[in-house]
Short mmCIF file of all heavy atoms in Angstrom, two decimals:
data_model
loop_
_atom_site.label_atom_id
_atom_site.label_comp_id
_atom_site.label_asym_id
_atom_site.label_seq_id
_atom_site.Cartn_x
_atom_site.Cartn_y
_atom_site.Cartn_z
N HIS A 241 -24.48 -15.29 22.00
CA HIS A 241 -25.23 -16.47 22.37
C HIS A 241 -26.16 -16.91 21.24
O HIS A 241 -26.19 -18.06 20.83
CB HIS A 241 -26.01 -16.18 23.65
CG HIS A 241 -26.58 -17.41 24.26
ND1 HIS A 241 -27.92 -17.73 24.17
CD2 HIS A 241 -25.99 -18.42 24.94
CE1 HIS A 241 -28.12 -18.89 24.77
NE2 HIS A 241 -26.97 -19.32 25.24
N HIS A 242 -26.87 -15.92 20.71
CA HIS A 242 -27.81 -16.21 19.63
C HIS A 242 -27.06 -16.71 18.38
O HIS A 242 -27.45 -17.71 17.76
CB HIS A 242 -28.63 -14.98 19.29
CG HIS A 242 -29.72 -15.24 18.29
ND1 HIS A 242 -30.88 -15.91 18.63
CD2 HIS A 242 -29.81 -14.98 16.96
CE1 HIS A 242 -31.64 -16.03 17.54
NE2 HIS A 242 -31.02 -15.48 16.52
N ALA A 243 -25.96 -16.04 18.05
CA ALA A 243 -25.18 -16.44 16.87
C ALA A 243 -24.65 -17.87 17.03
O ALA A 243 -24.70 -18.67 16.10
CB ALA A 243 -24.02 -15.47 16.64
N ALA A 244 -24.17 -18.18 18.23
CA ALA A 244 -23.65 -19.53 18.48
C ALA A 244 -24.75 -20.56 18.31
O ALA A 244 -24.54 -21.62 17.70
CB ALA A 244 -23.04 -19.60 19.87
N SER A 245 -25.94 -20.23 18.81
CA SER A 245 -27.03 -21.21 18.71
C SER A 245 -27.48 -21.40 17.26
O SER A 245 -27.93 -22.47 16.87
CB SER A 245 -28.21 -20.77 19.58
OG SER A 245 -28.87 -19.68 18.97
N MET A 246 -27.34 -20.36 16.44
CA MET A 246 -27.73 -20.45 15.03
C MET A 246 -26.58 -20.94 14.16
O MET A 246 -26.76 -21.19 12.97
CB MET A 246 -28.15 -19.07 14.50
CG MET A 246 -29.31 -18.41 15.20
SD MET A 246 -30.89 -19.23 14.79
CE MET A 246 -31.04 -18.85 13.04
N GLY A 247 -25.39 -20.97 14.72
CA GLY A 247 -24.21 -21.31 13.91
C GLY A 247 -23.80 -20.19 12.96
O GLY A 247 -23.16 -20.44 11.94
N SER A 248 -24.16 -18.96 13.29
CA SER A 248 -23.78 -17.83 12.43
C SER A 248 -22.36 -17.37 12.72
O SER A 248 -21.85 -17.58 13.82
CB SER A 248 -24.70 -16.62 12.67
OG SER A 248 -26.04 -17.00 12.73
N LEU A 249 -21.76 -16.73 11.73
CA LEU A 249 -20.44 -16.12 11.92
C LEU A 249 -20.63 -14.63 12.14
O LEU A 249 -21.34 -13.97 11.39
CB LEU A 249 -19.58 -16.34 10.68
CG LEU A 249 -18.18 -15.71 10.74
CD1 LEU A 249 -17.28 -16.49 11.69
CD2 LEU A 249 -17.56 -15.62 9.35
N ILE A 250 -19.98 -14.10 13.18
CA ILE A 250 -20.04 -12.66 13.42
C ILE A 250 -18.78 -12.01 12.85
O ILE A 250 -17.68 -12.52 13.03
CB ILE A 250 -20.15 -12.37 14.93
CG1 ILE A 250 -21.50 -12.87 15.45
CG2 ILE A 250 -19.98 -10.88 15.22
CD1 ILE A 250 -21.65 -12.74 16.94
N ILE A 251 -18.95 -10.89 12.14
CA ILE A 251 -17.80 -10.10 11.73
C ILE A 251 -17.83 -8.81 12.55
O ILE A 251 -18.77 -8.03 12.45
CB ILE A 251 -17.81 -9.80 10.22
CG1 ILE A 251 -17.75 -11.12 9.45
CG2 ILE A 251 -16.63 -8.92 9.84
CD1 ILE A 251 -17.79 -10.96 7.95
N GLU A 252 -16.83 -8.63 13.38
CA GLU A 252 -16.78 -7.48 14.28
C GLU A 252 -15.86 -6.42 13.69
O GLU A 252 -14.64 -6.55 13.74
CB GLU A 252 -16.25 -7.93 15.66
CG GLU A 252 -16.09 -6.77 16.63
CD GLU A 252 -15.63 -7.23 18.01
OE1 GLU A 252 -14.97 -8.29 18.11
OE2 GLU A 252 -15.95 -6.53 18.99
N ASP A 253 -16.45 -5.40 13.11
CA ASP A 253 -15.67 -4.31 12.54
C ASP A 253 -15.48 -3.29 13.66
O ASP A 253 -16.39 -2.55 14.01
CB ASP A 253 -16.44 -3.71 11.36
CG ASP A 253 -15.62 -2.66 10.62
OD1 ASP A 253 -14.62 -2.17 11.18
OD2 ASP A 253 -15.98 -2.32 9.47
N ASP A 254 -14.27 -3.26 14.23
CA ASP A 254 -14.05 -2.50 15.46
C ASP A 254 -13.51 -1.11 15.20
O ASP A 254 -12.78 -0.55 16.01
CB ASP A 254 -13.07 -3.29 16.34
CG ASP A 254 -13.29 -3.02 17.82
OD1 ASP A 254 -14.43 -2.71 18.19
OD2 ASP A 254 -12.32 -3.12 18.59
#
Side-chain angles (χ1 to χ4, degrees):
Chain A
H241 192 256
H242 186 75
S245 73
M246 300 288 293
S248 315
L249 178 73
I250 294 175
I251 299 179
E252 177 177 26
D253 186 343
D254 209 29

